Amino acid sequence: MPQTSDSPLVLGVDLGTGGLRTALATARGHILAVAKRDLPTRLLPGGGAEQDPEDWWRAVAETTRELLAAHPDAAGRVKALCFSAQWGGTVPAAADGTPTHPAVIWMDARGARYAQDVTGGAPTVPGTGYNAWKLRTWLAKTGGVPTRSGKDPVGQSLWLRHERPEAHAAARWLLDVPEYLTLRASGRAVAARDTAVLRWCTDTRDPAALAWDPRLAAMAGLDIGKLPEQVPAATLVGPLTAQAAEDLALPADVQVVAGTGDTTAAALGAGAVQDYAPHLYVGTSAWLSCHVPAKKTSIRDNIASLPAAIPGRYWVATIQDVAGRAVDWLIENVLADPDHPRSPEALDRLTKLAAEAPPGANGVVFAPWLNGERTPVDDPALRGAWFNLSLATTRADLARAVFEGIALNTRWMLDAVERFTGRTGDEGLGPIRFIGGGASSTLWCQAMADILNRPIDQVAEPQLANVRGAALLAGIALGEATWEQIPDLVAIEQRYLPDPANRARYDEAYAALRAHHKGSRKLYRRLNPPAPRTD
């Protein structure tokens, strides 16, 4: 339907690990204006990673007010607000939304010992550490299983219960990040069915009828009474609370749409909603996903298909733990760039430096496992490395190797996803829609095409895919857009084709990365053992 000067507007808010973006948009996903704020993460001993939910809400309020001040005629046209957010984290919150402890985010591994307690025990499935009966039950009902690394709401909730018992006891709710933001805006604790699944206590065999399973919750050691109500995606949860309306300078009748995870929003914002249509996101982390018609799990590759926001569909869940964060790390700690590591100027300088080296970085290979890895190996002990350095290695080689190393690791993930979906062969899943901050780099787009050996479709405004997805979800909730229309609502900026001249050198680099993992994984486990128990 055409947009007019009085057509409804929506606010899409995306809370990433490194920062928050708020977009003023039409209900059909056209971005009118964007405001953003950076956010800090506290990395703590023993694998801890926390953020302050008050920082999140302050950023939501500041960006919303900034947009409305610049577009004073828009406030009365905003009809809905939807959050996209990092997920796989845990926010213990009182009934009024007050956090009882900082948010324990998806990177946090401090709950590993407790996750291993609830997932282990005899008889153990060889090579996994999982109790055979528990593993079979979780896989049959949920399609997945709590990670033994502790990096999901099971390990995090158990860590809070054991290590921060006062905060756990004071919490009325244990919420994932999108759910916390929805509560803060609407006063209602709900979980969209696509975000609820990472507690691994939802029977996902029928994506249209999901609910908490008390038996599964007991297996995971979760208090089911602290979990929020489950609702379908694109549900209008209710209007803003009086406090939220005041904080955001919005009318009190603005509707809050159930929040979603960044992976779901990214797929919508990439326009990749048809079955087997892949999208690749590179931000702080990375993932490669597509929608599929059925539930399936691969323990070998740490991949599962989970209920999607799209009715009746599942999405392929993957995660590369560190992607763009490795670029930030390089700028901040190795190159000592005076600008903020996420500033466009610093990234431009790094990209120009990397472009001085030839494809293949003169044989230098970078392993991007600076915080362990998830897909296709779930191993928190892995660590990053440059290897095959010589006295002739330059700063340009090191910089290019970081970009390429992330892409090489993504190829490992792509191989696993194509095997998982049965789309193997020369063409595999076909052209991949590329989004996130990484997709704004032409060097990275071409490197991805060459290394993955797949056409790369750079989505227009790729860094805005998540807020666009949140806006589209709000538009669907309002009845202003449909799922089927989404691919045509998202533009492609440019297609990058693989350069055959680079195929051999990148095949060799990929083989070298895999060989480095195979030869070094036991060493990393010796060097990075789990933190000792304190109980």
Side-chain angles (χ1 to χ4, degrees), residues 212-282:
W212 302 119
D213 184 318
R215 182 185 181 197
L216 293 175
M219 282 173 52
L222 299 182
D223 182 349
I224 201 169
K226 292 182 182 289
L227 302 183
E229 173 191 1
Q230 290 196 36
V231 298
T235 290
L236 294 173
V237 175
L240 292 169
T241 66
Q243 185 62 58
E246 179 182 342
D247 291 345
L248 307 183
L250 284 169
D253 61 353
V254 170
Q255 293 290 312
V256 180
V257 179
T260 190
D262 47 12
T263 43
T264 299
L268 304 184
V273 297
Q274 298 167 322
D275 285 354
Y276 303 108
H279 78 274
L280 168 64
Y281 169 87
V282 171

Side-chain angles (χ1 to χ4, degrees), residues 130-141:
Y130 287 100
N131 171 272
W133 175 84
K134 292 178 181 178
L135 181 63
R136 179 179 179 182
T137 302
W138 265 310
L139 292 180
K141 286 192 172 185

Side-chain angles (χ1 to χ4, degrees), residues 337-384:
D337 196 301
D339 286 330
H340 190 285
R342 285 189 292 274
S343 72
E345 295 78 16
L347 181 59
D348 285 347
R349 283 193 290 273
L350 178 64
T351 302
K352 289 177 182 177
L353 175 63
E356 295 175 8
N362 287 312
V364 177
V365 181
F366 178 71
W369 311 313
L370 298 176
N371 195 51
E373 194 48 281
R374 305 281 198 99
T375 303
V377 291
D378 187 15
D379 189 348
L382 292 180
R383 291 295 180 267

Side-chain angles (χ1 to χ4, degrees), residues 481-500:
T482 68
W483 301 108
E484 293 75 18
Q485 292 170 339
I486 287 177
D488 294 331
L489 297 176
V490 179
I492 299 300
E493 181 72 24
Q494 184 175 343
R495 171 168 285 189
Y496 293 78
L497 297 175
D499 184 345

Side-chain angles (χ1 to χ4, degrees), residues 89-94 100-101 104 153-154 156-158 160-161 164 167-177 179-180 183 189-191 196 199 212 221-229:
T90 301
V91 186
T100 65
H101 186 273
V104 183
V154 172
Q156 296 153 3
S157 297
L158 291 171
L160 284 166
R161 192 178 76 190
R164 303 291 187 272
H168 186 274
R172 171 63 185 90
W173 306 109
L174 295 176
L175 302 174
D176 209 328
V177 180
E179 301 156 9
Y180 172 78
L183 170 66
V190 300
R199 281 89 162 191
W212 302 119
L222 299 182
D223 182 349
I224 201 169
K226 292 182 182 289
L227 302 183
E229 173 191 1

Side-chain angles (χ1 to χ4, degrees), residues 60-79:
V60 173
E62 289 177 358
T63 52
T64 301
R65 286 175 171 270
E66 179 181 323
L67 290 171
L68 296 179
H71 302 83
D73 60 330
R77 294 173 57 196
V78 174
K79 301 303 180 186

Side-chain angles (χ1 to χ4, degrees), residues 256-496:
V256 180
V257 179
T260 190
D262 47 12
T263 43
T264 299
L268 304 184
V273 297
Q274 298 167 322
D275 285 354
Y276 303 108
H279 78 274
L280 168 64
Y281 169 87
V282 171
T284 300
S285 60
W287 63 75
L288 196 150
S289 182
C290 62
H291 289 92
V292 293
K295 182 174 80 69
K296 182 181 177 183
T297 302
S298 170
I299 290 293
R300 168 189 171 183
D301 295 320
N302 196 32
I303 300 176
S305 55
L306 304 175
I310 300 171
R313 284 295 177 266
Y314 297 82
W315 64 277
V316 175
T318 64
I319 183 69
Q320 183 171 314
D321 208 284
V322 169
R325 185 67 184 89
V327 174
D328 293 345
W329 168 85
L330 176 66
I331 294 171
E332 191 170 25
N333 297 297
V334 180
L335 301 181
D337 196 301
D339 286 330
H340 190 285
R342 285 189 292 274
S343 72
E345 295 78 16
L347 181 59
D348 285 347
R349 283 193 290 273
L350 178 64
T351 302
K352 289 177 182 177
L353 175 63
E356 295 175 8
N362 287 312
V364 177
V365 181
F366 178 71
W369 311 313
L370 298 176
N371 195 51
E373 194 48 281
R374 305 281 198 99
T375 303
V377 291
D378 187 15
D379 189 348
L382 292 180
R383 291 295 180 267
W386 277 290
F387 59 96
N388 201 35
L389 279 67
S390 74
L391 291 175
T393 296
T394 67
R395 293 170 71 246
D397 295 331
L398 295 177
R400 187 175 191 109
V402 171
F403 286 99
E404 292 181 345
I406 294 163
L408 291 166
N409 207 50
T410 301
R411 177 171 167 180
W412 194 8
M413 183 163 55
L414 174 64
D415 286 351
V417 170
E418 291 187 335
R419 184 168 59 244
F420 181 85
T421 57
R423 265 41 184 187
T424 55
D426 290 340
E427 295 186 2
L429 286 167
I432 299 170
R433 293 196 174 204
F434 191 17
I435 58 171
S440 63
S441 163
T442 57
L443 182 147
W444 226 340
C445 287
Q446 188 60 56
M448 284 291 182
D450 292 348
I451 290 170
L452 303 184
N453 196 34
R454 299 287 182 269
I456 294 295
D457 287 339
Q458 181 191 38
V459 172
E461 300 177 305
Q463 72 278 18
L464 301 183
N466 287 15
V467 287
R468 183 186 302 116
L472 285 167
L473 201 57
I476 290 169
L478 292 174
E480 297 288 329
T482 68
W483 301 108
E484 293 75 18
Q485 292 170 339
I486 287 177
D488 294 331
L489 297 176
V490 179
I492 299 300
E493 181 72 24
Q494 184 175 343
R495 171 168 285 189
Y496 293 78

